[in-house]
Amino acid sequence: MKTLNALLGAVAALSLFAASANAQTYPERSITMVVPFSAGGPTDTVARLVAESMSKDLGQQIIVENVGGAGGTLGAGRVAQADPDGYTVLLHHIGMATSATLYRKLAYDTLNAFEYVGLVTEVPMTIVARKDLEPADLKGLVEYAKANKDTITVANAGIGAASHLCGMMFMSAIETPLTTVPYKGTGPAMTDLLGGQVDIMCDQTTNTTKQIQGGTIKAYGVTSPERLKVFPDLPTTTEGGLPGLQVGIWHGVYTPKGTPADVTERLSKSLQVALKDPNVVARFGELGTVPSSDADATPAALKAKLEGEIARWKPVIEAAGQYAD
Ligand code: ASP
């Protein structure tokens, strides 16, 4: 018995040593950052900016992998099942919270499948349309959408995506259901909007700023309480007559459940460094957003945000009664 206890003690000491040695030398190889939407879209843009800067701080490459589909739940599921060793992380947005209620069956239990690294940013959305859509302002767009409700199409990145949530909020605000067209991300949806194959979309400024400024798409409103510095002439949705349509798309970084706390802490510190990187700050500013503060780029802040947002959106989604299977 004595020998067995001694043996168990030695094994415990050894595994403790292994865990701390791991954290001290982490990361020893490249890290995969899963983005649950297509390349070239808003989540991808945020992820690549942050990953590049974190790579410098960590001394190892962070490689972005796009795993789009099912409104972000495929990519999140991939990370939930990955080894909890700090070499697979997820950068996801508000959809992490809404999909917990929207999907009747999810391959993972949102609140129990991940560890938290920190919040990244909160991005406003814009209601945009193909360049040649007739209405001149948001009021005109509402009238037009009601009058053409059987033919007008709304692009989104699938149920659970921010574009889906905002599109639903738009339809609910105008009390008119419209036809939606799902993509694996709003990167490809933007291509179709530019080509005129789809009519309208609500998408993050991180994907729409350049196109709005270049006049290649039409913008009708921004979902923030105040106008944005990057588009001083673009009215808020409230100014345009849809006061209920306010939403900010927060992003967070997660690791699989069971990832050692000192590894997620190391990632969190690196995220804080990246969010103060002058290049990241400048690019975020050009894209109509700001990096999260040090206090928000922490495991505790992201955990609290996710829990609060699941609770906030649950009754809204249940009232709408639209679920994905
Ligand atoms: N974030 C976008 C959305 O939720 C999708 C994307 O990043 O491509 O609609």
Side-chain angles (χ1 to χ4, degrees):
M1 192 61 185
K2 235 180 175 174
T3 337
L4 183 67
N5 280 346
L7 197 70
L8 287 176
V11 168
L14 210 66
S15 56
L16 257 180
F17 174 75
S20 55
N22 172 43
Q24 270 164 25
T25 52
Y26 171 85
E28 292 174 299
R29 55 186 166 88
S30 62
I31 298 168
T32 298
M33 178 179 275
V34 172
V35 168
F37 298 102
S38 309
T43 317
D44 183 66
T45 297
V46 166
R48 283 176 199 270
L49 281 168
V50 167
E52 193 193 335
S53 185
M54 283 179 74
S55 298
K56 283 188 215 140
D57 179 64
L58 291 167
Q60 290 289 348
Q61 199 66 23
I62 299 187
I63 298 160
V64 171
E65 188 185 346
N66 300 90
V67 184
T73 61
L74 285 184
R78 165 82 72 87
V79 176
Q81 274 157 22
D83 285 340
D85 55 8
Y87 291 97
T88 308
V89 306
L90 170 71
L91 190 146
H92 200 348
H93 61 32
I94 190 172
M96 188 78 157
T98 53
S99 56
T101 306
L102 275 168
Y103 282 75
R104 289 191 206 272
K105 285 185 237 127
L106 265 190
Y108 53 91
D109 173 1
T110 306
L111 285 174
N112 290 304
F114 301 95
E115 307 289 351
Y116 305 90
V117 174
L119 283 156
V120 178
T121 184
E122 182 154 334
V123 184
M125 302 205 83
T126 43
I127 299 179
V128 294
R130 62 180 161 81
K131 197 173 139 192
D132 50 358
L133 202 78
E134 288 155 37
D137 56 18
L138 190 58
K139 197 167 160 287
L141 178 68
V142 170
E143 283 160 15
Y144 181 89
K146 286 185 173 186
N148 296 280
K149 64 178 171 34
D150 296 326
T151 51
I152 195 166
T153 50
V154 188
N156 67 36
I159 298 181
S163 45
H164 169 260
L165 176 69
C166 184
M168 286 293 155
M169 290 170 81
F170 177 71
M171 290 179 221
S172 141
I174 71 169
E175 295 171 348
T176 309
L178 306 170
T179 305
T180 55
V181 185
Y183 294 80
K184 282 189 176 173
T186 49
M190 178 61 83
T191 306
D192 273 10
L193 196 71
L194 290 168
Q197 284 94 350
V198 67
D199 297 316
I200 60 174
M201 172 159 79
C202 184
D203 197 16
Q204 284 114 289
T205 56
T206 31
N207 201 35
T208 59
T209 309
K210 217 175 76 199
Q211 307 295 353
I212 295 172
Q213 286 167 342
T216 51
I217 56 174
K218 225 169 192 171
Y220 289 101
V222 59
T223 66
S224 46
E226 308 287 336
R227 290 190 186 200
L228 300 184
K229 271 198 209 124
V230 282
F231 321 115
D233 299 332
L234 182 63
T236 65
T237 38
T238 303
E239 287 176 85
L242 299 177
L245 216 173
Q246 274 193 16
V247 62
I249 306 305
W250 53 273
H251 294 67
V253 176
Y254 306 80
T255 55
K257 189 81 189 170
T259 305
D262 32 16
V263 167
T264 53
E265 281 296 341
R266 177 72 189 93
L267 287 167
S268 178
K269 288 278 168 294
S270 180
L271 176 64
Q272 292 169 10
V273 170
L275 294 177
K276 289 193 288 273
D277 176 338
N279 177 50
V280 172
V281 177
R283 286 290 295 132
F284 273 24
E286 286 162 14
L287 296 169
T289 184
V290 285
S292 294
S293 65
D294 278 1
D296 283 341
T298 58
L302 176 57
K303 182 172 190 284
K305 182 75 172 182
L306 181 67
E307 287 170 355
E309 287 281 283
I310 290 178
R312 173 183 168 207
W313 290 104
K314 194 170 191 278
V316 179
I317 294 164
E318 284 173 350
Q322 291 194 2
Y323 299 96
D325 287 318

